[in-house]
Each structure stands twice: as structure tokens, then as C-alpha cells.
């Protein structure tokens, strides 16, 4: 079997829509936090709140709201 026999995988094949501006901002901010602040959930929550990237309803993040939003986004 050669490499051309493998099925082609589209990196975003599970997307149901183009990312919204909110989703793009959240993704960029999470990448920044993972690079600069850490990978623990507490680091992520603190990093989002310090950068004033809030939940969709405008409130600061908690562990519960972050988990719920990641579940909603399918992450």
C-alpha cells in the first residue's frame, strides 16, 4: 500500500459551519494561553479572564462554564 492509497483527511471535516468571530477569538486566545500560561484548567480560566475573553453571555469564566462551552462547541 502506498501513501496515495490512504484516504485523504480534511483537517476540518467535522465542521458544520465556518467558525464565528467568537470561536476564532477563543481559539486564538487558548493557543496563546497554552503557550504562555500553562495547560491546567485553572491556568486556562485565569488566562481567559485576565485577557477579558468572556463567556458568550459576557460573564467571567469558571471551570463549569468552560467545560460546558467546550462541550457545546464539540471540543
Amino acid at each position: 500500500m502506498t501513501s496515495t492509497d490512504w484516504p485523504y483527511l480534511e483537517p476540518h471535516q467535522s465542521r458544520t459551519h465556518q467558525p464565528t468571530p467568537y470561536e476564532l477569538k477563543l481559539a486564538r486566545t487558548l493557543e496563546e494561553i497554552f503557550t504562555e500560561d500553562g495547560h491546567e484548567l485553572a491556568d486556562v480560566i485565569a488566562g481567559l479572564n485576565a485577557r477579558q475573553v468572556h463567556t458568550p453571555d459576557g460573564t467571567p469564566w469558571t471551570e463549569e462554564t468552560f467545560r460546558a462551552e467546550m462541550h457545546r462547541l464539540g471540543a
Side-chain angles (χ1 to χ4, degrees):
M1 182 175 272
T2 67
S3 62
T4 58
D5 294 333
W6 291 94
Y8 174 75
L9 297 178
E10 169 62 41
H12 304 291
Q13 64 189 2
S14 63
R15 264 191 203 164
T16 59
H17 65 279
Q18 288 296 317
T20 66
Y22 159 76
E23 292 168 347
L24 291 171
K25 182 177 182 180
L26 181 60
R28 284 192 306 269
T29 305
L30 288 172
E31 287 179 3
E32 182 180 304
I33 291 167
F34 292 150
T35 301
E36 297 176 8
D37 301 340
H39 296 97
E40 299 299 321
L41 184 54
D43 299 327
V44 172
I45 301 306
L48 288 168
N49 289 330
R51 290 166 176 83
Q52 297 184 2
V53 177
H54 297 300
T55 64
D57 67 2
T59 59
W61 292 98
T62 65
E63 289 186 12
E64 293 77 25
T65 58
F66 183 79
R67 284 186 179 113
E69 184 64 358
M70 292 301 103
H71 180 73
R72 183 186 77 78
L73 293 172

